[in-house]
Amino acid sequence: MEELSITVSSAGESPGSSLTTGTIPIYSPTDTQDWSRCALYRKYKRRYQERGQDWNPNMPMGTVLDHAMKTWWQGVTISSPHDRDADAMDAGLSLLASSFQENPDYTLDELRVLFKKGLKVAIKGQTNQPGWEYWAEREKVVKISTSTRDPKAEGALVWKGQYVGTPDLITRDHRGLIVTDLKNSLYTNPIYLPKRLAEYDTNTQGWHYAYFVSLIYGEPVVEVRFQNIVMAPSVKNVVAVISITPERLNFWFADSVIKWSRMAQEGKTDVAPGNWENCYGKYGKCPFYMICHELDRDPEKIKVFFEERKES
């Protein structure tokens, strides 16, 4: 990974204005979160997947909804008459049909129904939970991203030549810049929603986007919002909003610098410590528990139950 010289702001200053950190690598929010959970988890997640796994529609459905979002917001920037809602619906359904694989949980028709319901509430919003129409009336589009990690892609954030993230949407109102990130869940038990929304307040991804968007655009990000579309057991649009302050942004970045430095050091030695306290974490048993505790991290034993990821 390329190493970069980046800066962090003091309280009350714009990001990047002072406190030079020296040369450190920048890691993505997902990488940082995975490492914080367990360095071995991050290592194995990047390398392995279980053999014979069925196609899981959760991530593809998120990609489909994300594609529909980009189509809808691109329509906001077009002056000629057109139906943004219909364009987004068509784009999403087309991608869903082309990416669908047979699986034991959902038929294509069932996913189509869920997608249509989810897209409707994403656009229209629900009681006390705004959607795209509400925001489009009050904000101007700055940047719409594409669903790719390509640093040359539209909407990608690049700092001194390195890809640092792709926020779904950047808009501006009278206060400053706003970053919107779309999340999707095929099923979430309603009792867990309040906890999930509260956790966004310290979510690495939100603060990562706030820092680098501010740095790259040269103006403050005043708000990061996570729009969560839950499709079952009942369709919901729930939005978590983080108000960004220079003091907290500075705190986040200083903490991240320490983490990134440790991650870089581990990368040089290929030694990743396990975090035993998270073998049974908030998401249940770690998917790589078997590698650590039953297969003794032996490559020959591992390849019986796991296969190398194609992208690794």
Side-chain angles (χ1 to χ4, degrees):
M1 175 176 294
E2 180 183 358
E3 294 189 347
L4 306 173
S5 177
I6 55 182
T7 59
V8 58
S9 64
S10 296
E13 297 179 337
S14 299
S17 61
S18 65
L19 295 180
T20 301
T21 63
T23 302
I24 63 167
I26 303 172
Y27 292 87
S28 71
T30 299
D31 251 355
T32 306
Q33 288 171 324
D34 288 346
W35 180 87
S36 297
R37 174 178 175 178
C38 174
L40 278 176
Y41 168 80
R42 171 178 175 262
K43 176 181 178 179
Y44 293 141
K45 177 185 173 184
R46 290 155 61 93
R47 182 171 180 179
Y48 295 118
Q49 63 184 19
E50 284 190 63
R51 292 189 179 277
Q53 281 187 320
D54 290 317
W55 181 77
N56 186 332
N58 281 282
M59 185 171 292
M61 181 62 90
T63 301
V64 167
L65 189 60
D66 190 67
H67 181 57
M69 177 190 190
K70 306 303 189 301
T71 302
W72 194 93
W73 280 95
Q74 285 166 354
V76 173
T77 66
I78 299 173
S79 58
S80 58
H82 63 287
D83 189 332
R84 293 196 302 266
D85 296 5
D87 290 346
M89 183 69 71
D90 291 344
L93 289 173
S94 176
L95 182 58
L96 177 60
S98 65
S99 60
F100 177 79
Q101 296 180 30
E102 294 297 332
N103 67 93
D105 298 317
Y106 295 93
T107 65
L108 177 56
D109 284 341
E110 287 172 336
L111 290 177
R112 285 183 176 130
V113 171
L114 292 174
F115 167 73
K116 289 177 181 179
K117 291 180 178 180
L119 180 62
K120 181 178 179 181
V121 298
I123 295 172
K124 305 295 183 183
Q126 289 179 311
T127 304
N128 298 323
Q129 295 289 315
W132 303 342
E133 280 187 352
Y134 179 88
W135 296 324
E137 291 173 357
R138 293 161 175 80
E139 301 164 15
K140 293 188 178 299
V141 174
V142 175
K143 185 70 71 172
I144 306 165
S145 77
T146 56
S147 303
T148 176
R149 290 179 61 87
D150 182 356
K152 297 181 181 179
E154 183 69 19
L157 297 180
V158 178
W159 174 243
K160 294 188 176 180
Q162 182 175 319
Y163 170 85
V164 294
T166 308
D168 289 328
L169 178 70
I170 304 172
T171 54
R172 180 187 288 110
D173 68 7
H174 65 281
R175 301 168 300 157
L177 295 175
I178 300 167
V179 175
T180 300
D181 194 72
L182 181 65
K183 302 294 185 184
N184 168 74
S185 173
L186 282 175
Y187 181 92
T188 298
N189 189 320
I191 66 173
Y192 296 125
L193 277 177
K195 180 176 183 292
R196 175 178 295 184
L197 293 177
E199 288 174 345
Y200 282 119
D201 178 57
T202 55
N203 182 278
T204 292
Q205 185 181 35
W207 291 94
H208 184 104
Y209 284 164
Y211 183 86
F212 284 105
V213 169
S214 295
L215 197 62
I216 291 167
Y217 283 86
E219 56 182 298
V221 169
V222 296
E223 187 175 286
V224 175
R225 58 188 173 219
F226 290 92
Q227 183 184 25
N228 294 261
I229 305 302
V230 179
M231 297 182 174
S234 61
V235 64
K236 294 184 182 297
N237 169 60
V238 286
V239 182
V241 177
I242 307 172
S243 296
I244 305 299
T245 65
E247 293 81 5
R248 290 191 75 193
L249 201 57
N250 182 55
F251 177 31
W252 168 83
F253 187 78
D255 184 60
S256 296
V257 166
I258 297 171
K259 292 178 180 177
W260 295 338
S261 298
R262 292 175 180 171
M263 291 167 71
Q265 188 60 37
E266 288 175 10
K268 293 176 182 178
T269 61
D270 197 35
V271 175
N275 184 354
W276 286 47
E277 284 72 20
N278 278 340
C279 292
Y280 294 87
K282 73 177 196 177
Y283 300 111
K285 190 175 181 179
C286 174
F288 305 110
Y289 177 94
M290 179 187 288
I291 292 179
C292 293
H293 297 284
E294 297 174 10
L295 304 179
D296 305 319
R297 301 172 305 285
D298 183 327
E300 292 302 312
K301 294 179 182 178
I302 291 172
K303 69 182 182 182
V304 175
F305 299 94
F306 295 83
E307 59 187 355
E308 299 275 348
R309 287 189 176 276
K310 294 179 181 179
E311 63 268 27
S312 64

